[in-house]
Amino acid sequence: MVERPTRAHRPQSLVLCFALYGAVSALHLGVKLAGLIEIDTASKWALMPALLVGVALVLAVGLTRPPNDVATLLVAGITLSFIGDITVKNVVVGLGFFLAAHVCYIAAFQRSAARRPSPWGLLALPWFVALLAALWASIGALLPAVALYGIVL
């Protein structure tokens, strides 16, 4: 059985759990900046599995003990994000997986949050409407899908 890290060792343990994700993220950023398109796609597809490894390690080591439904929703969200990444060439399909992922994240945050969202969040509504109006000409037929995605966010 793995011993739970002490409070003093927690930051170092978190860094170790997410080291792979940090390395893949740095590689992906470097590849993207270098314009290496073929490697860009592969490194992008490695991001969510690497994040999932970090989350699995955090849960296994016991750095945090969220309720089972919260952990399940987080893992489902990351998995759906990964599927969104690999299906995004079909924008509607990819957007659908990202939307489902965000629904999982929202549900996980709602189950783990101690208080209600701030009413200040309503200030995002006029900004969102203005953003949709500005994007309308460039996204055309995708406007309903993008609007639904934004509403969920």
Side-chain angles (χ1 to χ4, degrees), residues 16-93:
L16 287 174
C17 287
F18 290 101
L20 175 64
Y21 180 69
V24 171
S25 296
L27 171 70
H28 179 63
L29 181 59
V31 163
K32 189 169 266 320
L33 290 172
L36 303 170
I37 310 273
E38 299 82 19
I39 301 172
D40 182 336
T41 300
S43 64
K44 178 164 182 56
W45 289 0
L47 286 167
M48 290 299 102
L51 180 59
L52 196 55
V53 166
V55 168
L57 288 171
V58 164
L59 294 172
V61 172
L63 287 171
T64 186
R65 297 195 190 279
N68 284 342
D69 61 336
V70 172
T72 300
L73 286 164
L74 179 60
V75 168
I78 294 169
T79 303
L80 290 165
S81 293
F82 170 67
I83 297 169
D85 284 340
I86 62 175
T87 61
V88 78
K89 288 207 185 244
N90 181 326
V91 175
V92 174
V93 172

